[in-house]
Amino acid sequence: MPTLTTLRKAVLISLYGSAALALSSPAAQAQNQGGEAAATQSELQTVSVVGSRRVASSATDTMVPVDIIPISKVSEQGGQFDLAQTLQYISPSFNSTRQTGADGADLIDSAALRGLGSDQTLVLVNGKRRHTTALVNLFGARNRGNTGTDMNAIPLLAIKNVQVLRDGAAAQYGSDAIAGVIDIELKKSLGCEAVAGYSQYGVGDGKNYLTSAYCGIALGDKGTLAITGEYLDRGRSNRADADSLRIIGDTKTQNQTLYLNGDYATSGTGKLYFTAGAQTRDASSAAFGRGGIGSDDIPSRNSAAMYPDGFVPFINGKIDDRYAILGHRSQIGDWHADFSQTYGYNRMRYDISHTLNASIANLDLLKGGKGVSASNFDAGGFSFQQLTSNADFSRYYDDILKGLNLAFGAEYRSEEYRIMAGEPNSYIDADGVGVGGNAGSQGFPGFQPSDATKAKRHSIAAYVDVELDLTERLKTQAAVRYEKFSDFGSTVTGKLAGSYKLTPDVLLRGSASTGFRAPSLQQVYFSSTFTDFIGGVPTDVVLAPNGGAVANAAGIPKLKEEKSTSFTLGATWTPTQAISVTADLYNIKIKDRIVLSGRFNADNYPDLAARLALLGVGEAQFFVNSIDTRTRGLDLTASHKGEFIGNKLTTFLALNLSQTEVTKVKTPPSLAGYADVLLSERERLFIEQGGPRAKSTLGFDYVTGKLESDLRLIYFGPQTLGTFSGTAAGVPNAHYSAKASADLSFTYSINTNTKLTFGGNNIFNVKPSTQNPDETDNGFKSDSVQFGLNGASYFGRLWVKF
């Protein structure tokens, strides 16, 4: 992992193009600066910025677009209580849609940049790689077939800022950095603060309770220890019709989180640094409802003795997330050295409640019983562990042209992925295939012993990075990285970037890079048999692991890495300290992109019919390197600080336009003629338009005395998603019209250490366009697109510093 450059703290707010001016109120800025003043002198003068290793630089000289988003204000006053939703309404290039009716994807909000997948964005914490989740998203309108990073495992109050590098950076940071890099910098300021918050939707459900506290204490005169604790209780919401068995809305979650962050001087030039965090999350998602007496679900998926009026199974997830960094920075001669070890772990265990195993209930009935089974099952789960060791070195030469920074380093990373089987009653067929009740716990059949997996791999990497100022105006950067994985081979990536200061106010910048993303262990080894509802009809589906018997029989080749080429061209304009504008065009081509295939069955692939019948499933699907894509777009930001009627007014605009297209479908020889099954129209549209192609934020922050008002208008462009039946059957695609959400809040500063905020999100109660429920992915009248389907919400928040 490369060492991040340090920039003067005074330029922190001048970045984010410079919309960060609008994201941190004058009071919050002063407070932050006051807290930092108690830190060491070296920390007072510097702030880490992702994407460069230069020891001395200026924010206006960055060769690639970087957003620095201060989090202090939103942690004190914001209407969103978690990081993913906070960034969703601030950064237009960032997308995180809260899913519903999507099984495990309901429990974790995956994040993505520039309309690409969540596993094509690399997330760092304090400059070090953060692990992904053990979950593979299989359902929902976003990130299908992707793993991702759980942004909500980190409490807002622990975060100093979030830095978004909107550029391909695999040559600098390794696998996953195709769309860009998000670096979450944690606080180490002295002093204590606490937040209490409450919110609910306008109809009265989805109640949220937040309590969070932060305390930074000095370790003598040599270091700092920062401790953050948070408890978040999010209530379930439901937008289904009153007479429906469905529950459609937010999942119920309870998060308990603790984070430590700090450092300790070991010598005049050496410093030990450390981070440790843990979160336990109890979450519950509602599955599709099963009908009661008179429906086709008895006896196949229900028992009249247990649920005569039908029932809704609950998919409950127990999620444990742990993260730790231990490192040491020092000076070795003229070289800056950084040695670190990072640990990440994520585990999700499923407990299915308010359910039954219909085959057990039917067997009980056949034996003269009432026809019952247990109503709660341990369905197993999965875990992912990652260990990353880094050694990084950098040196600045001020006597080579106008300055040269040389950096190099090495990395060793090991990963382990496990699938744990559930209890037998969660998956068995007790009464025999086709006799009566279906096998497994309804809502989510348990993982079977044949699914159980323990897979490992490791990788080694080495990189060299050079930044050279040819003149006072012309700056360049070059990086090359070699990476070798134990399971699929090696790859070399490179990057070239440069900037030219056309005038004191105008900077031109651009970059070209190659990148890659290794197939995740989750994509290679995931195996499961589950039930999906297609047009309201339940169907058992097997997702076969890569290299397994079913995948081999279908001729699915071994997964390999995705490869990308990325180009960025942009400009910045800062005519005054109060005005800043940036614009960046980008073009990202991805070759051999890994996607979740369509579903093969006896009708569309007869050669698999016998094997599918032996498995007792109706359909099979796979992960495969089956497509090439191209993503083109524009990022635009503008901000202005001024006065209106004698008071401070900050205005900012941020816009992202992004269009992803599948340019080629690559069909393995054994699947020749089945390209439309390998990538159906429906799955192609999930890739191309799973996120809105246009998104913008227009914000106004007005401060008059002790009262601050904040108005934000967030525009989400139109989306078109596929249907189960497809246009070939005469069913039109689902079109979601463009929508705009308005957020309004008011903050009253009771004194310098106490603030009270109240306000509303989506105050005009805007909802997605209505569709045919039989054709949507979640079986509701709209999928989880754009900003969700819950409508208006209202909140209050109290912040106290002590």
Side-chain angles (χ1 to χ4, degrees), residues 365-427:
L365 186 64
L366 293 174
K367 289 182 176 181
K370 295 182 179 180
V372 299
S373 82
S375 61
N376 200 94
F377 299 96
D378 173 6
F382 30 68
S383 66
F384 178 68
Q385 177 179 284
Q386 183 173 274
L387 292 164
T388 308
S389 306
N390 295 101
D392 304 288
F393 306 89
S394 66
R395 180 178 176 181
Y396 184 74
Y397 297 86
D398 58 6
D399 55 349
I400 298 180
L401 294 179
K402 294 299 180 179
L404 179 144
N405 194 80
L406 174 63
F408 66 92
E411 176 180 286
Y412 176 83
R413 187 163 77 250
S414 65
E415 298 173 336
E416 179 182 278
Y417 175 64
R418 292 189 180 192
I419 298 178
M420 295 81 74
E423 62 174 286
N425 286 347
S426 73
Y427 58 80

Side-chain angles (χ1 to χ4, degrees), residues 550-562:
V550 177
N552 289 340
I556 303 298
K558 183 179 179 180
L559 289 180
K560 59 184 177 180
E561 77 275 19
E562 301 174 348

Side-chain angles (χ1 to χ4, degrees), residues 589-602:
K589 294 182 179 180
I590 305 177
K591 182 180 179 181
D592 299 322
R593 187 164 168 178
I594 300 170
V595 298
L596 187 62
S597 77
R599 295 173 178 177
F600 293 87
N601 54 44

Side-chain angles (χ1 to χ4, degrees), residues 54-56 63 395-406 466-472 474-477:
R54 181 171 297 197
V55 176
M63 289 172 272
R395 180 178 176 181
Y396 184 74
Y397 297 86
D398 58 6
D399 55 349
I400 298 180
L401 294 179
K402 294 299 180 179
L404 179 144
N405 194 80
L406 174 63
V466 179
E467 295 185 50
L468 176 63
D469 293 355
L470 296 171
T471 69
E472 293 288 349
L474 181 61
K475 302 178 185 295
T476 60
Q477 180 185 42

Side-chain angles (χ1 to χ4, degrees), residues 551 553-557 597 600 605 608 622 624 626 666-678:
I556 303 298
S597 77
F600 293 87
Y605 194 1
L608 273 181
F622 319 90
V624 59
S626 61
K666 299 181 175 182
T667 308
S670 63
L671 300 181
Y674 298 101
D676 59 337
V677 182
L678 185 67

